[in-house]
Amino acid sequence: PGTGIVIFYRSSNKDALGLIKKLSKVSEQMSKEFPQFTFRKCDGDLQVNRKSFASASFGSNPYIFTSTPGEGIVKFVGPRSVASVRALVRSKFANGDKQDLATFTGEHDFWDLMDLDDIPKPTFVFFHNKQDKCPTCSRIRVGTPRLATAVKGQVNVMEVDCSDDAKFCDTHQVDTFPTFILFSGERKVEMSMPKNVDVPGLYLFQRFFKQEVPGYRHVKLGPGGRYKYRAMSISSNTPRVVKSAAANAAPATAAGNAAPTTPLNLAEALVQINALKQDLTKAEEVIAKLKQEKQELRQEIKRQSRSIN
């Protein structure tokens, strides 16, 4: 009970003792940033704990759990390191803003969000059902504002209650809860949770975005729970290399001498960009036609279903 993290370990494991020593120092810093944070340790080698450790099938490696209001006790499955635990604490206790969540009152909100720009930001949708009595969903909902604040500007985060809009959920074949789907243009990717994870934390979401969202920047959490982006800059002196026919040429034979590269030609680049735009326009026309055909097919299936009934 309580708010913070609990580490179950065995004092016979020297590596675990080293980690505990480092985390004890980190916990002092975390307590200053987050007054509600507590750090607890439980040694499985103590006589009083041996039976409980055996019944829980705990091995010699340390196990880390978090305890936060609304989310309950959750096992941490990330790397057992000082950096990962520090990030874990900040992701659990930093304040999120509900206003950063994308509004969903109906399917039109989703499509409005997807059509904001020529190349809209990816939209990550958390599907749940209040009438389904899903305790896991209730615990996840506590952390969605933190997720939305953390990825603001890179990924839209939206909650959809399927008890309010069953049609939208049926369209995307959502019948189990919780379900997480990333929509990026015409691409749709469902996020699967590890078997040993009940409530996914910010760490797992960020790892998923890093894999599925091109150019996604890992978000770090600043002191006091404020979110910040990792600084990324390109020096004006950084050489830019463009793949060309020269890339297939034989490399330089002398050690230490780089093979020559073709410099960037702005006019050629613009021609290539325009050609890509034309290809994209054609692709969009094909996609629109396929969407229309899909809608007509869906309507025909409904008509046939009614006639059979």
Side-chain angles (χ1 to χ4, degrees), residues 86-104:
R86 184 186 286 113
L88 167 69
V89 172
R90 286 175 173 161
S91 69
K92 287 289 184 180
F93 294 96
N95 294 322
D97 190 344
K98 287 186 177 181
Q99 293 184 355
D100 291 331
L101 280 170
T103 302
F104 183 86

Side-chain angles (χ1 to χ4, degrees), residues 5-8 19 23 39 61-66 73-81 84-85 88:
I5 63 173
V6 182
I7 297 187
F8 297 88
L19 178 61
L23 291 180
F39 177 65
N61 292 323
Y63 295 82
I64 302 174
F65 291 82
T66 63
I73 299 175
V74 181
K75 183 180 178 182
F76 177 58
V77 296
R80 300 182 184 93
S81 65
S84 62
V85 171
L88 167 69

Side-chain angles (χ1 to χ4, degrees), residues 125-138:
V125 182
F126 162 42
F127 293 90
H128 62 92
N129 191 325
K130 290 181 181 178
Q131 296 180 0
D132 195 47
K133 295 182 180 179
C134 169
T136 300
C137 297
S138 300

Side-chain angles (χ1 to χ4, degrees), residues 22-79:
K22 293 178 181 178
L23 291 180
S24 296
K25 294 181 179 180
V26 172
S27 65
E28 296 178 5
Q29 177 189 355
M30 295 292 99
S31 298
K32 293 177 181 178
E33 292 187 20
F34 308 100
Q36 74 273 33
F37 170 77
T38 59
F39 177 65
R40 292 180 174 85
K41 301 171 289 185
C42 183
D43 185 359
D45 285 339
L46 296 178
Q47 184 66 36
V48 69
N49 295 328
R50 287 180 181 175
K51 187 176 180 180
S52 298
F53 263 61
S55 62
S57 301
F58 283 164
S60 59
N61 292 323
Y63 295 82
I64 302 174
F65 291 82
T66 63
S67 177
T68 51
E71 293 184 359
I73 299 175
V74 181
K75 183 180 178 182
F76 177 58
V77 296

Side-chain angles (χ1 to χ4, degrees), residues 200-214:
L202 186 60
Y203 169 81
L204 287 177
F205 288 124
Q206 297 225 67
R207 187 173 67 179
F208 173 72
F209 293 151
K210 189 174 181 180
Q211 293 173 347
E212 302 295 341
V213 179

Side-chain angles (χ1 to χ4, degrees), residues 3 61 147 299:
T3 301
N61 292 323
L147 173 63
Q299 293 174 355

Side-chain angles (χ1 to χ4, degrees), residues 115-301:
D115 294 337
L116 281 177
D117 303 300
D118 292 336
I119 306 178
K121 292 192 296 290
T123 298
F124 185 68
V125 182
F126 162 42
F127 293 90
H128 62 92
N129 191 325
K130 290 181 181 178
Q131 296 180 0
D132 195 47
K133 295 182 180 179
C134 169
T136 300
C137 297
S138 300
R139 293 160 67 186
I140 293 173
R141 289 186 66 202
V142 175
T144 48
R146 288 197 297 267
L147 173 63
T149 302
V151 300
K152 184 179 180 180
Q154 299 192 86
V155 180
N156 299 313
V157 178
M158 174 181 282
E159 286 186 14
V160 174
D161 182 359
C162 291
S163 64
D164 292 336
D165 197 326
K167 180 181 177 182
F168 181 72
C169 298
D170 290 341
T171 299
H172 297 289
Q173 300 177 334
V174 176
D175 52 10
T176 57
F177 309 101
T179 294
F180 305 96
I181 299 180
L182 176 72
F183 297 88
S184 182
E186 292 298 319
R187 189 164 165 264
K188 184 170 75 170
V189 184
E190 182 173 346
M191 173 182 166
S192 58
M193 290 197 297
K195 293 181 180 179
N196 59 343
V197 173
D198 186 14
V199 179
L202 186 60
Y203 169 81
L204 287 177
F205 288 124
Q206 297 225 67
R207 187 173 67 179
F208 173 72
F209 293 151
K210 189 174 181 180
Q211 293 173 347
E212 302 295 341
V213 179
Y216 178 78
R217 296 173 295 173
H218 179 72
V219 178
K220 299 179 73 176
L221 299 174
R226 296 189 302 274
Y227 292 92
K228 63 180 182 180
Y229 294 115
R230 177 181 296 171
M232 298 181 69
S233 61
I234 300 177
S235 170
S236 58
N237 296 324
T238 303
R240 293 191 172 104
V241 178
V242 178
K243 288 186 177 181
S244 63
N248 298 323
T253 54
N257 293 332
T261 59
T262 302
L264 175 65
N265 186 303
L266 183 58
E268 292 179 0
L270 290 174
V271 171
Q272 293 177 7
I273 290 172
N274 289 330
L276 289 173
K277 283 184 176 180
Q278 293 176 2
D279 292 341
L280 180 60
T281 300
K282 293 179 181 178
E284 288 175 344
E285 291 174 354
V286 172
I287 291 170
K289 185 178 179 180
L290 290 173
K291 280 184 176 180
Q292 182 63 29
E293 292 176 354
K294 179 181 177 181
Q295 186 65 24
E296 292 174 355
L297 180 60
R298 188 183 296 275
Q299 293 174 355
E300 179 62 26
I301 293 173

